[in-house]
Amino acid sequence: MAVSEEECSSAKCGPSSSSSSTAHYLAKCVLRGSVVLQVLYGRIRSSSSKDVVFGKEASIELVVIGEDGVVQSICDQPVFGTIKDLAILPWNGNFHARDRKMWGKDLLVVISDSGKLTLLAFCNEMHRFLPVTHVQLSDAGNTRHLPGRMLAVDTSGCYIAVSAYEDRLALFSISTSKSSDIIDERITYPDESEGTYRSIQRPSINGTIWSMCFISQDCRKLNKDPNPVLAILLNRRGELLNELLLLEWNIKADAVYVISQFVEAGPLAHNIVEVPTYRGLALLFRAGDVLLMDLRDAHNPRCTYRTSLNFLSSAVEDQIFIDDSCKLQDVDDEHFNAAACASLVLSDFDPMCVDSDSGCSNSCYKYVCSWSWEPENDSKMIFCLDSGEFFMIEICFNSDDLKINLSECLYKGVACKALLWVEGGYLAALVEMGDGMVLKLEDRRLCYTCPIQNVAPILDMVVVDHHDEKHDQMFACCGVAPEGSLRIIRSGICVELLLRTAPMYQGVTSTWTLNMKAIDSYHSFLVLSFVEETRILSVGLSFTDVTDYVGFEPNFCTLSCGLVSDGVLVQIHQRAVRLCLPTKAAHYEGIPVSSPICTSWSPGNVNINLGAVGHNFIVVSTSNPCFLLILGVRLLSAYHYEIYEIQHLALQNELSCISIPRQKVEQKQSDLSISTHSNFTASFPSGDIGDYFVIGTHGPSVEILSFTHERGVTVIACGTISFMSTMGTAISGCIPQDVRLVCVDRFYVLAGLRNGMLLRFEWPSDRPASPAVNMDAALFNVNLVNSGENVSNQAENLPATLQLIATRRIGITPVFLVPLGDTLDADIIALSDRPWLLHSARHSLSYTSISFQPSTHVTPVFSAECPKGILFVADNCLHLVEMVQSKRLNVQKFHLEGTPRKVLYHNESRILIVLRTELNYDTCLSDICCVDPLSGSILSSYKLELGEIGKSMELVRVGSDQVLVVGTSLSSGPAIMPNGEAESTSGRLLVLCLEHVQNSDSGSMILCSKAGSLSQRISPFREIVGYAPEQLSSSSLGSSPDDNSSDGVKFDENDVWQLRLAYATTWQGMVLAICPYLDRYFLASAGNAFYVCGFPNDNPQRVRKFAVGRTRFMITSLTAHFTRIAVGDCRDGILFFSYHEETRKLEQLYCDPLQRLVADCILLDTETAVVSDRKGNISVLCSDHLEDNTSPECNLKLRCAYYMAEVAMSIQKGSYSYRLPADDVLQGGDGPKTNVDSLQHTIVATTLLGSIMIFIRLSREEYELLEAVQARLIVHPLTAPILGNNHYEFRGRENPVGTPKMLDGDMLTQFLELTNMQQEAILSSEPPDMVKSRLKSLPPSHFRVNQVVQLLERVHYALN
């Protein structure tokens, strides 16, 4: 969250402990924040694209809204800073772009905590935003009086305005010259120094700037180029009403003047918005009404029409209500308090008030909280009121007079933070603390289409292995009332399980799907090849065995198959190539005979080892001797075909794989069109791409070949494969297992190797005049049909040498590449130890895990019933799944009433226990409920007393059983006074027993699951049935999950779990924190005191206090590890205590060296604490291990810290291994080794913005290597923070100078998105001087890229 620079605490301590005792961590965001604060519409990727931009404070997400209204994410890019405002700079025909690739594209204008105005352009090649220019506005941070708070952009794209929080703004003009910078002129008003800069014009803009916009002028009436006019809404100190000021920038005079002002008694004005269609008009939004302002004469502003928004409200007095709860409590400067509070007057709910019992009070007026103009008709606007009602305004002329037509209510929902009206009639409505939605305008009504997922804020979470699936998943408390929900969050791409067969498919060797005709959109047959047989199933509502009607040889293992021409299928097995014409019994377009017609071709006494089927030709190879054979197919008579040999070639090396593309390609014209690569297009002319095929050899190498009947086979390009370990030995297993030709703006070749590596080859930018002399897989003619043609065409300088662009390791088993369509730009499933989705349009190699269990085979299966189906073979079962395109996040939602605050998982009953507040019940405001983790239904609940609010809960062991200890508040006011001390309130401590009893007629008992049951209730969430979710952590990466526990689960109606009150007592102070201690005690806090409590004689009906400890300020967290207790309060930070059982006394051992408002804390061991605070930091504190503990004021050591810029409300320990399931293959046993403690020292944190962060423990050697890489990445143009932040300063905010920092995993991950040459260039560059002296020198260049990539791949592999 953005805070003022006055709030940032100065460094009060010296440098942290020495590097020898530093804890080394890498921080990686595995789920980016989902709160959308700005939403924009523009031509971002090209001059013809219609793209949507989500501004999410810490990242920028580019999405598209499809014709069906589904929001699909293109990229979500971290900005390594905090976005304050975002706007579109539209393309202007008068601009002269310096880069041709930017022609016709809109730019993003961003202001951030970097103190800079940044212009961003989307780079299609890198698939990310890159900065065009930076303009310094102020120092880094959040200043009150310098520009950097709010943006306004002229509709013509000629001018930009940037305001401060108060008193000042800056204006910029955009250059139309090709040679000059994109920012032409700038001026600040008022001047920063009257003596040094321009003279100050009066009257000034002394006050808080609430809103601003440019007012377009009519050039025809002025007969000259008009000066830009800016309208601002200003709140002067001490005034109840806001003023509308019009400022003119006289460019020739280089001065800004206030030319007029407008103020009218009545409600408070809060926003000014220009009407794009009519020059000189603007809408002034006020609390309760909307004014149409005529500003065509900027010197004489007037209101021409007004319409009321209080359609259903009774008349109220004109008063301004400012609720104290809206004030920012952490800001020290009283003037900044006034400015910030003024901008929050009309807020329904302060997003930071997550600990309060209710949000800010509603205004008595209805007001517009979001709006958007129609893209095709800028005279129409849809807006949303704070009541959640949607209306449309249309501005029109009526008898030479302006008028506003207001529609009936179009939709009633929740108040929206932002709206965007896009083409097709869709409206994206974004909610700050709940799911947004896509609405469609139909018949003057808005209809709900689909959700826009938002998991923020995440108030609590628990990570469990539900039903022993060997895959952890996160259950999170998300949102606030009325949008509160329980979410199941998994990593990877979400899939929905549609069908799973019985485990009857042992020994599957390959799978394919076949069309009956090349133009068919849906598949006709599913081919399953086994070790000694082949079966064919029809694709449709049911999979029926039609092997006998297709004609494939059933008693052989199929090596390959395909469609050679319409209605003609080919099977390749070890002994022969078989051509088949299926009958109508197999497919309705089959031949009208009783049995399929087949013909075969055999190579003689040798066996076929590989094959592929193309359009009208077939390629097969043999291994001993090594031959490549080109076969043709010709029609002899009706239904009778012949397979004949066209070309017979001897091979120097045996082939390992063959791939033939099936798409016809035309040259594309785009910013990165292949037509711009003359060398490339010379070898790939437009035409039938099916004339080309790709082979992998045991050389090892990959080669592109072409075949025509006139010229035979020609080698187009060749790329050798050779990798060396750090020991200087060749890495084994580099033989291609699968190869694919891909075309997205340019052609490239993907190769999956047998050792789990994935390679990308591209056509060289400068093709050599002649190929290498010794080709690894040279072809020699043996029997040429066209003997006059040579295999290699030296006259055309063929073959070219393919350039290895990127290398990744995605597993240790062979990599299979399965395209999700017949087009060359289709995404590809890369299947190794687990399935990954390879994004074909991305730069280098970019892939995301698919949230499904490890599988042996996969193939797309498209049918009318399942248009985007995917078939996985796993655990001897066939799993038909479908990727859920409507889910940008792999999250399942269970709607709960109220605000879920805490969640626990009860292992014995396998149910979730959720603490809810803000319930709209007559009998209670808060309860504890048991939730079924499969369906989300509430199974039972315990209601607290009326007016009582639940604050904390924890499962505590009593003997061999577990009880639920709950802490509550009996007061509705705040828990903490402004000085950090506890309020004089009271609360209760409750002990609830979760009992397993037989079914009864008691109305308080509701059926729930039996622990250990192997059956499951019928659930509407079909993806959960038999679904093994993507692992967030696993001790056995790559192992197949045992999902028997979720196979056909059904609840037993005779089993009941219920909550029963066993004990209750009233304490002085709210009971905000509870935690178990030593398996026989528990800790509970009330106010600034905490108690060691226990159950005498293991009786849950009695609770005894054994000891009490006190702090100076309100206690917000408690945690324990063995005998060590860590207490977090709202000012003194973390304090370490120890409990002496003999004397029953608590002793304070260590205290925090810094003041901090603790959000949550965990103990990794008895000496190390990890703490999150309300300023966005994660810190690792450790005791100094000294024997002399005579002073209770011994400080903890700050070992390392990381500024997230987000508040983590919940942190937990994890057990994540980031090593591949093999030893150091690439390094040959040399290089950085993983610290075994890292498995137990991993931290998971969830934030108010909906992010999930993972903090991984590194060894010292790993840390030093990656630190040297990060130091180069943060200054390289391709990877530096795009908003201009000093990365070193940004990640070190709020911490003392010299504090060791955790590594930024998001910054380091960018290294994997680069090509090999770019990686080499970065590692060869010099690091910044400020860190150069303490960096470890990088390894020698011949293996350092592999070493860095391998280490980063392990992190990427484990976390995705």
Side-chain angles (χ1 to χ4, degrees):
M1 299 292 178
V3 294
S4 67
E5 66 176 357
E6 288 86 349
E7 182 185 8
C8 302
S9 59
S10 59
K12 299 180 181 179
C13 300
S16 183
S17 58
S18 63
S19 60
S20 61
S21 59
T22 299
H24 304 295
Y25 278 89
L26 180 145
K28 182 72 176 69
C29 181
V30 295
L31 181 65
R32 304 207 187 283
S34 54
V35 177
V36 179
L37 301 180
Q38 300 93 15
V39 56
L40 307 171
Y41 196 44
R43 299 166 295 184
I44 303 299
R45 290 177 295 165
S46 69
S47 59
S48 60
S49 64
K50 300 292 185 181
D51 304 310
V52 178
V53 177
F54 288 164
K56 301 196 296 184
E57 188 163 296
S59 67
I60 297 175
E61 184 177 8
L62 185 65
V63 304
V64 292
I65 299 179
E67 295 180 356
D68 55 355
V70 174
V71 178
Q72 298 185 27
S73 180
I74 297 173
C75 74
D76 194 353
Q77 180 178 346
V79 297
F80 307 103
T82 301
I83 297 172
K84 297 182 184 179
D85 203 1
L86 199 64
I88 289 284
L89 181 66
W91 171 259
N92 188 311
N94 295 324
F95 293 163
H96 296 281
R98 288 168 292 176
D99 188 346
R100 189 183 64 84
K101 296 177 182 178
M102 293 174 54
W103 188 268
K105 295 166 60 174
D106 298 337
L107 300 181
L108 278 186
V109 187
V110 190
I111 48 176
S112 65
D113 61 347
S114 67
K116 297 176 181 178
L117 172 70
T118 303
L119 271 63
L120 302 176
F122 190 79
C123 176
N124 290 287
E125 183 178 2
M126 295 292 295
H127 204 74
R128 63 195 305 263
F129 289 96
L130 293 177
V132 176
T133 189
H134 298 290
V135 179
Q136 194 71 45
L137 300 173
S138 63
D139 294 333
N142 300 280
T143 55
R144 187 173 78 250
H145 293 295
L146 294 178
R149 167 64 183 88
M150 188 185 305
L151 274 172
V153 177
D154 178 34
T155 54
S156 64
C158 296
Y159 302 100
I160 299 172
V162 184
S163 75
Y165 282 93
E166 57 185 22
D167 300 343
R168 195 178 302 276
L169 57 82
L171 295 169
F172 303 86
S173 65
I174 306 301
S175 173
T176 58
S177 173
K178 185 176 182 180
S179 58
S180 62
D181 292 336
I182 190 169
I183 299 294
D184 188 15
E185 298 184 36
R186 62 175 292 180
I187 188 171
T188 302
Y189 177 79
D191 291 328
E192 298 171 2
S193 173
E194 183 176 359
T196 305
Y197 300 94
R198 305 172 182 87
S199 62
I200 300 178
Q201 305 297 329
R202 298 296 180 184
S204 67
I205 52 172
N206 186 20
T208 303
I209 300 174
W210 278 43
S211 177
M212 64 180 181
C213 70
F214 282 95
I215 304 299
S216 301
Q217 302 297 305
D218 195 337
C219 304
R220 295 169 296 180
K221 294 183 178 181
L222 297 176
N223 295 322
K224 60 180 181 178
D225 291 335
N227 291 321
V229 175
L230 182 71
I232 67 170
L233 206 55
L234 187 70
N235 178 263
R236 298 190 186 274
R237 295 185 182 92
E239 298 292 336
L240 291 179
L241 297 178
N242 289 341
E243 296 181 27
L244 175 64
L245 299 181
L246 294 183
L247 286 73
E248 181 182 33
W249 180 12
N250 190 322
I251 297 177
K252 291 184 178 180
D254 199 19
V256 176
Y257 305 93
V258 177
I259 57 176
S260 64
Q261 60 189 102
F262 174 88
V263 61
E264 182 181 84
L268 183 69
H270 57 89
N271 267 296
I272 180 75
V273 182
E274 182 188 15
V275 179
T277 302
Y278 302 108
R279 294 180 180 273
L281 299 184
L283 293 177
L284 183 63
F285 292 134
R286 305 195 304 177
D289 62 13
V290 178
L291 306 185
L292 178 61
M293 302 298 300
D294 186 353
L295 307 178
R296 288 173 288 187
D297 181 2
H299 294 82
N300 183 28
R302 62 189 183 93
C303 172
T304 62
Y305 195 87
R306 100 181 51 238
T307 183
S308 174
L309 300 176
N310 294 313
F311 311 104
L312 302 178
S313 303
S314 57
V316 293
E317 296 181 3
D318 292 340
Q319 297 180 2
I320 306 301
F321 296 94
I322 300 178
D323 193 277
D324 289 338
S325 62
C326 290
K327 294 183 179 179
L328 301 180
Q329 299 292 340
D330 295 336
V331 184
D332 298 328
D333 193 298
E334 61 179 359
H335 298 296
F336 187 82
N337 257 339
C341 189
S343 65
L344 291 174
V345 169
L346 294 172
S347 174
D348 277 339
F349 192 89
D350 182 356
M352 292 300 293
C353 295
V354 294
D355 292 331
S356 64
D357 301 323
S358 62
C360 305
S361 60
N362 289 331
S363 169
C364 56
Y365 290 107
K366 291 182 180 181
Y367 69 92
V368 176
C369 56
S370 55
W371 61 88
S372 180
W373 294 100
E374 184 181 12
E376 298 91 351
N377 183 2
D378 289 338
S379 64
K380 292 182 180 179
M381 169 195 282
I382 291 180
F383 63 85
C384 178
L385 300 180
D386 61 320
S387 60
E389 297 167 286
F390 288 74
F391 294 89
M392 181 189 295
I393 277 181
E394 183 175 5
I395 301 173
C396 58
F397 281 96
N398 184 14
S399 301
D400 297 329
D401 192 14
L402 290 171
K403 185 179 180 181
I404 294 178
N405 291 328
L406 188 63
S407 71
E408 298 292 330
C409 181
L410 304 177
Y411 186 83
K412 181 69 168 68
V414 295
C416 294
K417 174 69 176 178
L419 294 181
L420 180 65
W421 197 345
V422 301
E423 291 183 356
Y426 289 109
L427 183 76
L430 287 311
V431 179
E432 197 165 15
M433 292 203 175
D435 283 344
M437 52 199 163
V438 176
L439 306 172
K440 187 167 186 180
L441 185 62
E442 293 179 340
D443 299 327
R444 307 288 294 182
R445 288 289 182 269
L446 286 172
C447 303
Y448 179 89
T449 300
C450 63
I452 301 176
Q453 293 170 299
N454 176 18
V455 300
I458 303 179
L459 301 180
D460 193 29
M461 54 91 179
V462 60
V463 180
V464 296
D465 180 9
H466 181 56
H467 282 297
D468 302 323
E469 291 172 334
K470 299 181 183 177
H471 293 278
D472 287 351
Q473 54 193 344
M474 178 180 290
F475 295 92
C477 294
C478 301
V480 296
E483 293 296 311
S485 63
L486 185 68
R487 311 274 181 135
I488 304 176
I489 304 176
R490 308 178 182 95
S491 63
I493 298 173
C494 180
V495 297
E496 179 182 3
L497 182 61
L498 304 176
L499 173 68
R500 182 180 61 190
T501 68
M504 53 184 292
Y505 293 91
Q506 295 86 358
V508 175
T509 60
S510 291
T511 59
W512 300 270
T513 44
L514 303 178
N515 295 336
M516 197 63 176
K517 290 185 177 180
I519 62 172
D520 289 348
S521 301
Y522 302 130
H523 293 123
S524 302
F525 304 108
L526 170 65
V527 181
L528 300 176
S529 175
F530 298 85
V531 176
E532 294 182 347
E533 66 172 330
T534 296
R535 309 303 296 172
I536 303 177
L537 308 179
S538 64
V539 175
L541 286 174
S542 61
F543 288 81
T544 307
D545 193 324
V546 292
T547 306
D548 295 337
Y549 305 106
V550 173
F552 278 21
E553 181 61 56
N555 298 321
F556 285 94
C557 171
T558 299
L559 302 176
S560 181
C561 60
L563 181 72
V564 70
S565 63
D566 287 350
V568 182
L569 306 181
V570 170
Q571 176 194 23
I572 303 174
H573 58 81
Q574 187 178 15
R575 300 290 179 84
V577 177
R578 186 176 177 90
L579 184 147
C580 309
L581 277 69
T583 68
K584 284 188 175 293
H587 191 274
Y588 71 94
E589 291 186 336
I591 59 176
V593 294
S594 59
S595 299
I597 298 176
C598 305
T599 184
S600 297
W601 174 92
S602 175
N605 296 326
V606 295
N607 289 333
I608 299 172
N609 68 333
L610 289 172
V613 181
H615 181 63
N616 290 327
F617 76 101
I618 304 163
V619 180
V620 296
S621 70
T622 62
S623 59
N624 190 17
C626 297
F627 288 114
L628 179 71
L629 299 100
I630 310 297
L631 307 178
V633 176
R634 55 191 170 204
L635 179 64
L636 300 179
S637 61
Y639 304 148
H640 290 85
Y641 289 81
E642 179 190 17
I643 303 175
Y644 66 99
E645 181 179 318
I646 301 176
Q647 197 167 4
H648 190 150
L649 306 170
L651 304 173
Q652 181 178 342
N653 293 292
E654 181 182 352
L655 299 191
S656 60
C657 53
I658 306 173
S659 172
I660 303 177
R662 300 190 60 88
Q663 182 196 29
K664 291 188 176 182
V665 175
E666 295 180 357
Q667 291 187 4
K668 297 181 179 181
Q669 300 295 331
S670 66
D671 289 338
L672 296 174
S673 173
I674 60 174
S675 62
T676 62
H677 304 276
S678 57
N679 290 339
F680 182 78
T681 54
S683 298
F684 278 91
S686 61
D688 192 349
I689 195 63
D691 292 341
Y692 299 88
F693 59 98
V694 188
I695 61 173
T697 78
H698 282 255
S701 67
V702 295
E703 301 181 13
I704 304 175
L705 292 81
S706 72
F707 167 76
T708 61
H709 286 272
E710 295 77 17
R711 302 180 59 180
V713 175
T714 303
V715 180
I716 301 297
C718 176
T720 58
I721 302 173
S722 178
F723 295 101
M724 304 296 291
S725 69
T726 56
M727 304 297 294
T729 58
I731 296 176
S732 62
C734 291
I735 299 170
Q737 176 65 41
D738 207 349
V739 288
R740 296 290 169 183
L741 185 65
V742 184
C743 178
V744 181
D745 288 323
R746 64 178 66 189
F747 283 92
Y748 63 89
V749 176
L750 291 175
L753 307 188
R754 294 182 179 178
N755 60 6
M757 296 178 68
L758 183 64
L759 313 181
R760 172 168 171 161
F761 290 91
E762 288 187 4
W763 195 266
S765 56
D766 296 323
R767 190 174 58 188
S770 61
V773 175
N774 184 18
M775 289 176 49
D776 284 339
L779 303 175
F780 301 94
N781 286 316
V782 174
N783 238 344
L784 287 179
V785 172
N786 303 294
S787 59
E789 292 289 334
N790 200 356
V791 173
S792 295
N793 191 335
Q794 299 295 333
E796 297 181 5
N797 295 326
L798 295 177
T801 301
L802 292 174
Q803 183 179 356
L804 181 61
I805 296 298
T807 305
R808 301 288 181 271
R809 177 178 289 275
I810 64 172
I812 60 171
T813 58
V815 178
F816 294 89
L817 304 173
V818 182
L820 293 179
D822 289 336
T823 60
L824 290 180
D825 59 353
D827 287 343
I828 294 173
I829 293 180
L831 187 64
S832 182
D833 301 344
R834 66 167 87 170
W836 303 83
L837 182 65
L838 187 66
H839 307 285
S840 61
R842 301 289 180 86
H843 185 62
S844 186
L845 288 172
S846 177
Y847 46 90
T848 308
S849 66
I850 298 174
S851 189
F852 196 73
Q853 67 190 80
S855 306
T856 56
H857 299 89
V858 63
T859 185
V861 180
F862 301 161
S863 64
E865 297 76 24
C866 182
K868 297 295 181 182
I870 302 172
L871 187 82
F872 287 97
V873 180
D875 297 336
N876 300 325
C877 301
L878 303 183
H879 306 257
L880 180 62
V881 305
E882 188 174 29
M883 290 190 189
V884 184
Q885 297 293 337
S886 60
K887 287 189 177 182
R888 292 165 43 249
L889 312 176
N890 190 357
V891 175
Q892 182 181 346
K893 177 181 179 181
F894 297 142
H895 180 76
L896 295 178
E897 295 182 70
T899 300
R901 296 279 178 174
K902 297 289 182 181
V903 61
L904 300 171
Y905 182 76
H906 189 247
N907 287 301
E908 183 183 0
S909 63
R910 299 190 175 187
I911 61 175
L912 297 170
I913 304 173
V914 180
L915 171 63
R916 299 186 297 173
T917 62
E918 298 181 80
L919 294 172
N920 192 22
Y921 294 164
D922 294 334
T923 57
C924 72
L925 297 176
S926 184
D927 73 352
I928 299 99
C929 58
C930 298
V931 178
D932 175 16
L934 295 177
S935 66
S937 59
I938 296 177
L939 307 175
S940 63
S941 119
Y942 177 84
K943 294 179 174 59
L944 300 182
E945 294 180 355
L946 184 62
E948 186 176 21
I949 300 169
K951 292 292 184 179
S952 58
M953 68 176 183
E954 195 64 59
L955 288 169
V956 177
R957 186 160 295 282
V958 181
S960 59
D961 298 324
Q962 279 186 320
V963 297
L964 184 68
V965 181
V966 181
T968 73
S969 168
L970 297 175
S971 304
S972 59
I976 308 172
M977 291 191 291
N979 63 358
E981 297 179 2
E983 287 280 3
S984 298
T985 57
S986 61
R988 286 205 305 164
L989 183 79
L990 310 177
V991 178
L992 302 176
C993 295
L994 187 62
E995 295 184 335
H996 183 203
V997 297
Q998 292 298 315
N999 189 16
S1000 109
D1001 294 331
S1002 173
S1004 62
M1005 299 181 186
I1006 300 178
L1007 298 182
C1008 58
S1009 65
K1010 179 180 180 180
S1013 174
L1014 296 181
S1015 58
Q1016 174 178 331
R1017 170 183 306 176
I1018 296 176
S1019 169
F1021 300 94
R1022 299 184 58 187
E1023 65 267 29
I1024 299 302
V1025 181
Y1027 169 64
E1030 174 69 5
Q1031 62 186 19
L1032 282 176
S1033 68
S1034 176
S1035 58
S1036 177
L1037 296 179
S1039 61
S1040 298
D1042 181 10
D1043 58 357
N1044 290 333
S1045 61
S1046 61
D1047 185 10
V1049 176
K1050 180 181 178 182
F1051 282 85
D1052 191 336
E1053 296 183 356
N1054 294 321
D1055 295 322
V1056 177
W1057 291 88
Q1058 68 170 358
L1059 291 167
R1060 177 181 60 83
L1061 180 65
Y1063 174 84
T1065 185
T1066 302
W1067 285 5
Q1068 290 299 317
M1070 297 182 183
V1071 184
L1072 290 185
I1074 298 171
C1075 85
Y1077 182 58
L1078 292 178
D1079 286 337
R1080 54 188 179 274
Y1081 304 104
F1082 68 89
L1083 308 173
S1085 73
N1088 66 333
F1090 71 98
Y1091 305 91
V1092 179
C1093 304
F1095 299 96
N1097 302 320
D1098 291 339
N1099 183 3
Q1101 297 182 352
R1102 295 182 58 196
V1103 174
R1104 180 179 178 183
K1105 297 178 182 177
F1106 293 102
V1108 60
R1110 298 188 185 275
T1111 64
R1112 294 194 301 168
F1113 302 101
M1114 185 73 177
I1115 295 174
T1116 58
S1117 72
L1118 287 172
T1119 187
H1121 185 86
F1122 294 119
T1123 60
R1124 184 56 45 89
I1125 300 170
V1127 180
D1129 71 13
C1130 66
R1131 190 160 180 178
D1132 281 343
I1134 295 298
L1135 302 101
F1136 276 13
F1137 286 82
S1138 180
Y1139 174 61
H1140 302 282
E1141 290 189 87
E1142 300 81 5
T1143 60
R1144 292 183 178 176
K1145 290 185 178 180
L1146 284 162
E1147 178 187 4
Q1148 180 180 330
L1149 302 178
Y1150 299 95
C1151 59
D1152 201 318
L1154 301 175
Q1155 288 187 347
R1156 71 178 85 238
L1157 174 52
V1158 176
D1160 200 8
C1161 176
I1162 57 170
L1163 283 171
L1164 298 181
D1165 51 44
T1166 56
E1167 306 295 338
T1168 308
V1170 179
V1171 57
S1172 66
D1173 60 44
R1174 291 297 185 101
K1175 290 187 177 181
N1177 279 296
I1178 290 282
S1179 304
V1180 178
L1181 302 170
C1182 188
S1183 57
D1184 56 9
H1185 302 284
L1186 295 178
E1187 296 297 332
D1188 184 11
N1189 290 330
T1190 57
S1191 171
E1193 296 299 326
C1194 292
N1195 279 347
L1196 295 166
K1197 299 295 183 180
L1198 182 58
R1199 292 298 173 84
C1200 63
Y1202 185 81
Y1203 179 67
M1204 297 189 301
E1206 299 183 41
V1207 179
M1209 294 300 295
S1210 178
I1211 56 177
Q1212 291 188 8
K1213 286 194 289 187
S1215 56
Y1216 300 82
S1217 173
Y1218 59 95
R1219 298 184 71 83
L1220 291 171
D1223 294 330
D1224 296 317
V1225 180
L1226 284 180
Q1227 298 180 31
D1230 190 17
K1233 301 299 182 184
T1234 303
N1235 188 341
V1236 294
D1237 294 335
S1238 66
L1239 303 183
Q1240 301 301 324
H1241 283 193
T1242 301
I1243 304 135
V1244 186
T1246 55
T1247 74
L1248 289 179
L1249 292 180
S1251 298
I1252 299 177
M1253 302 286 297
I1254 303 255
F1255 299 86
I1256 303 173
R1257 187 75 176 266
L1258 301 177
S1259 67
R1260 178 180 177 181
E1261 292 80 7
E1262 291 171 329
Y1263 180 89
E1264 290 176 347
L1265 173 63
L1266 294 182
E1267 183 186 31
V1269 176
Q1270 178 177 285
R1272 290 161 171 83
L1273 289 171
I1274 63 177
V1275 295
H1276 193 276
L1278 293 178
T1279 54
I1282 61 172
L1283 302 185
N1285 281 86
N1286 182 322
H1287 184 271
Y1288 192 80
E1289 180 273 335
F1290 175 71
R1291 292 304 185 194
R1293 286 184 191 171
E1294 307 292 341
N1295 289 292
V1297 176
T1299 301
K1301 298 176 180 61
M1302 300 181 186
L1303 295 177
D1304 191 338
D1306 291 329
M1307 176 62 68
L1308 289 167
T1309 300
Q1310 295 182 107
F1311 191 81
L1312 293 177
E1313 300 172 0
L1314 304 174
T1315 65
N1316 288 358
M1317 293 182 63
Q1318 291 168 338
Q1319 291 171 347
E1320 281 285 358
I1322 287 177
L1323 296 186
S1324 301
S1325 63
E1326 290 295 324
D1329 294 335
M1330 61 183 298
V1331 297
K1332 186 176 181 179
S1333 60
R1334 61 182 182 83
L1335 291 179
K1336 176 185 175 182
S1337 58
L1338 287 171
S1341 60
H1342 66 277
F1343 66 86
R1344 58 186 174 187
V1345 169
N1346 287 342
Q1347 189 171 329
V1348 174
V1349 167
Q1350 181 191 14
L1351 184 54
L1352 294 176
E1353 280 174 347
R1354 289 171 174 168
V1355 177
H1356 184 72
Y1357 182 97
L1359 299 185
N1360 284 273

